[in-house]
Amino acid sequence: MMSYSAFLTEYGPRFLDGATVTAIQTVLAAILAIVIALVAGLMRLSANVVPRWVATTYIEIFRGTSLLVQLYWIFFVLPLFGITLEKFTAGFVAVGMNLGAYGAELVRGAILSVPRGQWEAAIALNMTGAQRMRRIILPQAMVIMLPPWGNLLIELLKGTALVSLIAVADLMFEAKQINGTTFLSAQAFGTALIIYYAMARFVITPAMRGLERRMRRRLSRA
Amino acid sequence: MTDQDMSKYPLRLADDKVPMVRFMNVTKRYGDLVVLDSLDLDVDEGEMVTVIGPSGSGKTTVLRMLMTLETINGGVIYVDGEPLTHMEKGGRLVPADRRHIRRMRANIGMCFQHFNLFPHMTALENCMEAPVHVLGLPKAEARDRSIELLGMVGLEDKVDQHPARLSGGQQQRVAIARALAMRPKVMLFDEVTSALDPEVIGEVTNVIRKLVDQHNLTMLMVTHQMGFAKEISDRVCFFYDGKIEEQGPPSEIFGSPQKERTQQFLSAVLEAG
Ligand SMILES: Nc1ncnc2c1ncn2[C@@H]1O[C@H](COP(=O)(O)OP(=O)(O)O)[C@@H](O)[C@H]1O
Ligand SMILES: [Mg+2]
C-alpha cells in the first residue's frame, strides 16, 4: 500500500488545484452573499411594502429549501427558461444566493439592534434617510454583525462542496475523482477534510477576528 | 381632520410679534391614550422656557413633536411664523411632506437625556458630521466652527477623543456643541442632566447658562432641577396629564404657585431633592 507521503506527492497538486477552485468559489459566493444580504436586509426594513414583500419572499424561498435543490435549479432548470449559466458561475451564484438569504436576516437584526437614540440624533441633525443609514447606522451594525458573519462564511465555504455535484472541479470534486481511481478513501477524503478545516480555522476565522478587532478599535467602545 | 377644521389655522403667522414657536391646539395620541390634549404654547424669540411636571405628563413628547421625531394628531405647530407640521398647498394647510419637514427641521436642534453621540466618531467628527454632509459646508470651515464650539463648552483638549473615552458630562457637552454646530434658532434640552453623576451636572448647566447669557437662542428645556429652572428661565410651564396646568415667571411658579397640583408637585419634588 502507498504511504501517505507518496500519496501526497502523487496527488498533492490536484488537491491544490481543487482547493484553489474552492477558494475562488468561496470568495465569489461571499461577495455575492454580502451584496444580496445588504440589499435584501435593507429592503426588509423599507417603509414601502413592495420591497419588503420581495425581500421576505426571497429569504423564505432560499432559506426554506435546500441549497442542493437550488443549485440544480440554477444549473439544470434555468436553461429551460433561456438562462444558461456556466457550471462554475452556477456554482457560486447558488451558494451566494442561498447564504445571502441568511445574511439578510443578520443585516436586518444588526440594524435593528442599533439603539433608537442613534436614529433620533441623526434625524435631529437633519440627515437624510440614506445618510443616516450609511454614515451612522451601518457602521455600528457592522460591528454587531461581524461575529455571526464569521460563522456564516464558514457555512458558505462548506456549502461550496456541493458545486462538485455539477462537476465544478473544486476540492471535493478532486477528492472524489482521486478516490474513484485509487480507492484510497481515507487518504482522499481525509486530505479534503483537513484542507476544508484549515481554510475555515486558519484563514476565515483569523481574518474575521482581525476585522472585528479593527472595527471595534475604530468604534472604541472601551 | 376635515378641511373645515384646518381653516382656523393661518397659513403663516403674521401678527406684529411672531413667536419663534407656536403650538396651536396640538393633540398627540398613542392609540387611545391622549398624551397631549389641545396644547397651546408660544415661545418667543430668545426666550428660555422650562417645562416641569411629573413623569408621564407629556414633557418629552412636546420636545419630540417640535423636533419632528413624532407626528401630531391634531393642531398645527409653527416655527418662526411658518407651519412645521403642515405646509401650504392651494391656499390650504396640508400635512407636511418630507421635503418641507427637512427644510423646517433645520431651525431646530435637540439634546437628549442619554447624549446619543455617534460612538464611531471622535468628538470633533460628531460635531462636523452634519455641517459637512447636511449643510454642505467645506470641511475646513466645519472644522473651525466645531473646534470653536468644543472650546466654548470647555473641551478643546478632547476634540480627538471617542465618546467612550469621555465622562457623561463631557459627552453631554459634546452633544450640545454638535447641535449648535447646525446653527439652529431653537434648542431643545430633554432632561440633559438626568443621566449624569451629581458632581458633573454643573459642567452642563454652566454651558446652558452661557448660552442663555451670550446667545439669542430660543430654548425649550425639560428639567427636574428646580433650582436651575428657577434661576435660568424666563418662564416656567408646569405640565400635568398632557396639559399646561400653570405657567408664569419662575418667581411666581416657585414662589406662589396658584394651582393645587403645582403646589403638590413642587413640595413633593423639594422634599425629595
Ligand atoms: N412611543 C410611545 N408609545 C406609547 N406611549 C408613549 C410613547 N411615548 C410616550 N408614551 C406615553 O406618553 C405619555 C407621556 O410621555 P412623555 O412625554 O415621555 O412624558 P414625560 O417626559 O413627561 O415623562 C406617557 O404616558 C408615556 O407612557
Ligand atoms: Mg421625559
Side-chain angles (χ1 to χ4, degrees):
Chain A
M1 197 175 134
M2 204 180 200
S3 77
Y4 187 54
S5 67
F7 173 83
L8 277 189
T9 315
E10 174 84 25
Y11 297 107
R14 282 181 60 188
F15 278 113
L16 272 187
D17 288 348
T20 307
V21 171
T22 291
I24 295 170
Q25 284 275 322
T26 300
V27 169
L28 293 175
I31 291 170
L32 183 63
I34 289 167
V35 172
I36 288 176
L38 259 179
V39 172
L42 288 172
M43 281 167 71
R44 280 275 274 143
L45 293 167
S46 166
N48 192 323
V49 295
V50 178
R52 223 163 52 217
W53 185 85
V54 169
T56 306
T57 308
Y58 174 84
I59 292 166
E60 273 302 305
I61 290 174
F62 276 84
R63 296 207 318 174
T65 62
S66 96
L67 170 54
L68 184 58
V69 177
Q70 291 158 22
L71 178 68
Y72 282 5
W73 254 85
I74 288 172
F75 189 60
F76 296 116
V77 183
L78 282 190
L80 305 181
F81 298 96
I83 304 169
T84 307
L85 295 181
E86 211 211 320
K87 62 188 176 184
F88 185 87
T89 310
F92 77 79
V93 165
V95 176
M97 288 182 80
N98 178 271
L99 275 295
Y102 287 90
E105 291 297 87
L106 294 185
V107 170
R108 175 172 165 274
I111 287 173
L112 288 178
S113 64
V114 174
R116 205 175 60 141
Q118 293 290 309
W119 296 85
E120 296 183 343
I123 293 173
L125 291 169
N126 215 2
M127 299 174 82
T128 64
Q131 288 171 337
R132 292 199 290 268
M133 188 55 82
R134 204 165 47 79
R135 303 202 44 92
I136 307 302
I137 304 302
L138 276 182
Q140 297 180 61
M142 213 72 97
V143 180
I144 297 169
M145 66 182 155
L146 269 180
W149 265 103
N151 294 331
L152 199 66
L153 290 181
I154 290 172
E155 285 305 315
L156 185 147
L157 165 69
K158 294 192 267 184
T160 61
L162 290 180
V163 304
S164 65
L165 295 171
I166 57 171
V168 175
D170 75 333
L171 178 56
M172 191 61 196
F173 182 85
E174 295 293 353
K176 279 193 297 190
Q177 294 271 302
I178 293 164
N179 176 56
T181 51
T182 63
F183 301 104
L184 295 170
S185 304
Q187 286 89 330
F189 294 122
T191 306
L193 205 90
I194 290 167
I195 297 176
Y196 275 117
Y197 179 77
M199 288 168 91
R201 184 68 188 79
F202 301 117
V203 182
I204 295 180
T205 303
M208 292 303 284
R209 289 263 163 78
L211 200 60
E212 215 180 306
R213 255 198 312 276
R214 252 187 46 202
M215 289 229 150
R216 215 165 272 285
R217 204 171 323 122
R218 265 191 40 209
L219 241 168
S220 80
R221 284 194 206 267
Chain B
M1 194 176 293
T2 64
D3 297 346
Q4 185 63 37
D5 287 324
M6 288 316 292
S7 63
K8 68 182 177 203
Y9 300 102
L11 297 179
R12 51 169 45 246
L13 304 181
D15 321 341
D16 303 342
K17 198 167 144 296
V18 173
M20 182 55 80
V21 175
R22 169 167 289 175
F23 290 84
M24 197 168 169
N25 201 23
V26 172
T27 296
K28 175 67 186 174
R29 281 189 300 269
Y30 289 109
D32 289 338
L33 178 72
V34 178
V35 175
L36 288 167
D37 189 10
S38 308
L39 174 72
D40 289 311
L41 173 65
D42 281 6
V43 183
D44 286 330
E45 186 177 356
E47 196 182 17
M48 164 57 116
V49 172
T50 303
V51 176
I52 62 172
S55 179
S57 58
K59 308 180 298 293
T60 294
T61 306
V62 172
L63 301 195
R64 289 174 59 84
M65 292 186 313
L66 188 50
M67 192 64 256
T68 67
L69 294 171
E70 302 285 349
T71 55
I72 65 175
N73 303 106
V76 178
I77 302 175
Y78 296 87
V79 173
D80 206 6
E82 261 194 272
L84 165 78
T85 51
H86 293 71
M87 59 185 197
E88 191 204 318
K89 198 171 187 183
R92 295 186 307 136
L93 284 183
V94 298
D97 64 15
R98 208 179 304 177
R99 234 180 85 206
H100 179 82
I101 288 176
R102 275 204 81 222
R103 184 170 67 77
M104 292 300 293
R105 191 156 58 197
N107 295 310
I108 302 159
M110 181 163 179
C111 292
F112 302 85
Q113 184 174 349
H114 295 289
F115 333 132
N116 301 347
L117 290 181
F118 304 133
H120 55 303
M121 299 180 188
T122 64
L124 181 60
E125 287 165 349
N126 263 278
C127 294
M128 287 174 61
E129 175 65 22
V132 170
H133 292 100
V134 176
L135 302 180
L137 245 53
K139 273 217 165 102
E141 191 183 337
R143 191 187 182 81
D144 290 347
R145 183 189 285 194
S146 299
I147 287 177
E148 189 191 324
L149 284 164
L150 285 168
M152 195 271 292
V153 301
L155 292 174
E156 48 281 284
D157 55 335
K158 301 287 183 194
V159 290
D160 293 324
Q161 297 288 347
H162 280 80
R165 297 290 184 78
L166 300 174
S167 71
Q170 292 169 336
Q171 288 188 55
Q172 193 61 286
R173 286 185 281 153
V174 174
I176 293 173
R178 177 176 73 174
L180 291 173
M182 294 298 279
R183 304 254 164 101
K185 293 179 184 163
V186 184
M187 272 290 285
L188 310 176
F189 297 96
D190 189 12
E191 291 195 38
V192 289
T193 57
S194 290
L196 299 180
D197 293 330
E199 66 271 21
V200 299
I201 287 177
E203 306 173 358
V204 174
T205 50
N206 279 338
V207 169
I208 296 175
R209 220 171 255 129
K210 209 156 151 185
L211 290 180
V212 171
D213 292 344
Q214 300 174 2
H215 299 261
N216 193 35
L217 266 173
T218 306
M219 292 188 256
L220 197 48
M221 176 173 82
V222 175
T223 185
H224 284 302
Q225 289 182 276
M226 296 305 147
F228 185 50
K230 188 173 175 179
E231 166 207 327
I232 203 165
S233 314
D234 297 310
R235 182 154 48 104
V236 177
C237 292
F238 172 65
F239 270 71
Y240 190 90
D241 202 16
K243 293 195 188 70
I244 297 178
E245 179 81 7
E246 185 170 357
Q247 62 176 314
S251 57
E252 279 175 25
I253 297 293
F254 292 108
S256 54
Q258 299 302 302
K259 297 285 182 69
E260 196 181 326
R261 281 177 180 145
T262 319
Q263 293 161 2
Q264 280 170 354
F265 173 78
L266 287 174
S267 65
V269 170
L270 294 178
E271 229 166 85

